[in-house]
Amino acid sequence: MAEPWQAPEGMLIAGDFQSAEGGRRLAVENPATEEILAEVADAGPSDARRALDAAVDAFPAWRDAGAYARSAVLRRWFDLMRADRDNLARLMTLENGKPLKEAYAEADYAASFVEWFSEEAKRAYGRTIPATNPEKRILVLRQPVGVVAAITPWNFPAAMITRKVASALAAGCTVVLKPAPETPLTALRLGELLLQAGAPPGVLNVVPTSDARRVADVWLGDSRVRKITFTGSTAVGKELMRKAADNVQRLSLELGGQAPFIVFSDADLDVAVSAISTAKFRNAGQTCVAANRVLVAREIEEEFTLRIVAQVAAMRVGSGLDPEVEVGPMINGKGRTKVLAHVEDAVSLGAEVRLGGRSVPGPGYFVEPTVLSGVTPKMLVMREETFGPVIAIAAFSSEAEAVATANDTEYGLAAYFFTRDAGRAWRVAEHLEYGIVGLNDGAPSTAQAPFGGYKESGVGREGGQEGMDAFLETKYVSWGAVGTGLR
Ligand code: SIN
């Protein structure tokens, strides 16, 4: 068996693993045991500036290397990620807590973005447009936007990095990356693999920090950063938008969600009940696309609830390293407190706890998988992102009421609905104000489709063709005096 991977001592800047200013270190905790796993360099503003200088220096050569050279590096990165699958999965389970099976699924999901964008790199097509004046030619070129600052979350320590970084690199941009302080190990490993794949120094710089605001402020205050790409809370997304305004930096934001999961009376209940295990319990409910509000047709509410309770009661909670475990811990104590507060609020307003509802004693930030019924719109579970393993069930009486309730939120990332009626499928899909709709599908996320939200769930899309567009500028060249006809 291969030796376990040792986290590098430093942060990745200009192709080297370097110490942070003042030798500061950041401790990485295992949320399943509350033990410290490792310490990594903890960046401050001067490190953020050095990382940016490296990305700025690397940009012209990377831009001019051409799409096929960039594609080849990305393809090698993909191959190395596949070869390192066991290690990446274990790292994610250790620092994030997700069950090993899910960590393997994420390692594959993360690699799939690298594969997709290694191919998309070759398809940054421009176009020609017939001109009004026959002496002119109109050309549209697609060019990399420039240096990108990427800020990524802890809930998908690998995939949220590759979804941003692979597309930016494919487009010809260079990147400064600030991973979440909870999960820097996976980020550093990805950076190391990219170097091994032949990416020139400075093309990707990885800067973990416990002081996100000061590092981000360096990048937001510097006009050499042309684009900010962020996944995280809506509150932080708004702050970034305000700060990016000063330099008119482009932004892609993947923000919070409040996903409805609608089960119509004509649904195939086997499909709906099984879909909820992904839509709700992936990463113990800590995803932006997690089903937060389960809306069920009144006539099947009790049958559906009983089936859900039976399924969830069988789920094993614990350390993700145990192959039997399906639900891992919350990322930290704050996350657990929020989930329990949502349950308490719902109960105080009349919801019934059908299963779970408490924290699990012992080390680790575990919450019992929970099912609440009789949920109403006033409750926090219906208004805010719970980010935990809580299924909150409310009944509806008509299709119009279900859609109106689903849309009654400032969020608009993902929605799910279950029906066998083709007319209803079209109507509801078209009326849901969401960027991603799972129709009889609890797992719509995939590399080749655009991922992103309506309303306060974000700006722009990641993945798919749109994912490359996010890192390309459009340049129009008007070429005059070409002369008509051959001389
Ligand atoms: C997220 O929770 O932000 C991403 C989830 C996904 O890619 O499916």
Side-chain angles (χ1 to χ4, degrees):
M1 185 159 159
E3 286 292 303
W5 177 73
Q6 289 297 312
E9 287 291 304
M11 64 189 88
L12 178 58
I13 298 181
D16 279 332
F17 286 95
Q18 306 183 8
S19 314
E21 72 179 63
R24 291 194 331 159
R25 312 283 293 160
L26 166 67
V28 186
E29 189 189 27
N30 179 342
T33 60
E34 301 179 42
E35 285 163 354
I36 301 304
L37 288 167
E39 284 193 353
V40 298
D42 186 1
S46 65
D47 303 307
R49 227 165 278 119
R50 275 190 303 126
L52 175 56
D53 291 344
V56 169
D57 290 348
F59 175 63
W62 184 246
R63 174 195 60 201
D64 297 340
Y68 278 72
R70 291 196 291 270
S71 168
V73 170
L74 289 171
R75 181 71 209 188
R76 284 196 294 273
W77 194 23
F78 166 73
D79 291 338
L80 290 172
M81 283 181 69
R82 299 291 299 159
D84 200 47
R85 192 171 174 262
D86 291 342
N87 179 46
L88 285 169
R90 194 178 150 77
L91 275 180
M92 286 189 269
T93 293
L94 288 173
E95 64 180 354
N96 165 283
K98 64 180 64 192
L100 210 43
K101 191 167 155 220
E102 277 189 42
Y104 274 106
E106 181 174 349
D108 296 343
Y109 182 44
S112 74
F113 288 107
V114 180
E115 182 182 41
W116 170 259
F117 286 110
S118 74
E119 292 155 1
E120 283 298 281
K122 304 170 192 166
R123 289 186 265 282
Y125 302 139
R127 66 192 203 278
T128 62
I129 303 172
T132 318
N133 179 342
E135 281 296 314
K136 288 191 177 189
R137 298 292 179 269
I138 295 174
L139 312 174
V140 179
L141 311 182
R142 311 301 313 281
Q143 296 190 309
V145 67
V147 173
V148 171
I151 302 175
T152 55
W154 48 262
N155 62 346
F156 290 89
M160 295 306 98
I161 290 177
T162 56
R163 190 155 77 187
K164 294 177 191 309
V165 172
S167 45
L169 299 188
C173 301
T174 55
V175 179
V176 284
L177 165 68
K178 189 205 81 57
E182 294 84 354
T183 56
L185 301 178
T186 310
L188 289 167
R189 180 60 177 158
L190 289 175
E192 191 172 61
L193 293 176
L194 181 61
L195 278 182
Q196 288 170 14
V203 160
L204 173 65
N205 306 277
V206 185
V207 184
T209 182
S210 58
D211 197 347
R213 186 167 271 112
R214 288 216 299 161
V215 163
D217 281 352
V218 168
W219 297 339
L220 285 151
D222 194 319
S223 60
R224 295 177 301 164
V225 173
R226 297 291 165 77
K227 167 121 197 174
I228 312 285
T229 173
F230 168 73
T231 295
S233 72
T234 295
V236 173
K238 288 180 183 180
E239 192 180 328
L240 294 176
M241 263 180 128
R242 281 189 280 268
K243 290 181 174 169
D246 283 343
N247 287 307
V248 195
Q249 286 159 321
R250 278 94 180 102
L251 279 163
S252 289
L253 303 174
E254 298 298 344
L255 307 178
Q258 237 294 4
F261 185 102
I262 309 171
V263 187
F264 288 101
S265 56
D266 59 51
D268 180 331
L269 284 195
D270 291 340
V271 171
V273 169
S274 135
I276 213 159
S277 40
T278 312
K280 179 76 254 186
F281 290 102
R282 183 166 162 240
N283 204 20
Q286 302 169 107
T287 78
C288 304
V289 292
N292 219 52
R293 299 170 291 154
V294 178
L295 311 175
V296 185
R298 202 169 295 284
E299 53 271 42
I300 56 161
E301 182 192 7
E302 192 52 24
E303 180 191 354
F304 181 77
T305 305
L306 290 173
R307 288 187 61 172
I308 290 290
V309 168
Q311 175 169 291
V312 176
M315 292 180 114
R316 183 126 160 225
V317 183
S319 160
L321 293 175
D322 176 343
E324 302 293 311
V325 159
E326 288 159 285
V327 185
M330 303 295 92
I331 190 70
N332 51 32
K334 199 167 150 219
R336 179 175 59 186
T337 302
K338 180 181 180 188
V339 176
L340 294 172
H342 275 207
V343 173
E344 205 177 300
D345 167 80
V347 171
S348 74
L349 293 170
E352 189 184 342
V353 178
R354 305 289 288 261
L355 186 75
R358 294 167 307 184
S359 63
V360 177
Y365 306 113
F366 294 97
V367 174
E368 292 174 347
T370 297
V371 180
L372 303 174
S373 63
V375 165
T376 61
K378 283 198 298 289
M379 300 173 185
L380 287 175
V381 278
M382 290 285 272
R383 307 232 63 87
E384 289 179 14
E385 207 171 18
T386 303
F387 241 56
V390 178
I391 295 187
I393 302 176
F396 64 83
S397 303
S398 69
E399 183 182 297
E401 184 195 346
V403 172
T405 306
N407 287 340
D408 182 21
T409 166
E410 65 271 29
Y411 295 108
L413 186 56
Y416 308 88
F417 73 100
F418 296 79
T419 181
R420 280 182 284 202
D421 176 327
R424 171 173 276 161
W426 274 111
R427 282 192 305 276
V428 174
E430 287 180 359
H431 284 91
L432 285 170
E433 294 167 357
Y434 288 82
I436 302 160
V437 174
L439 164 54
N440 297 328
D441 185 10
S445 305
T446 183
Q448 61 271 47
F451 183 104
Y454 282 25
K455 302 198 272 185
E456 293 194 17
S457 283
V459 175
R461 295 292 180 272
E462 294 184 333
Q465 198 183 319
E466 290 82 352
M468 273 278 286
D469 288 346
F471 295 100
L472 292 167
E473 280 285 13
T474 297
K475 181 181 282 174
Y476 151 49
V477 178
S478 179
W479 187 341
V482 291
T484 50
L486 292 173
R487 309 226 163 130

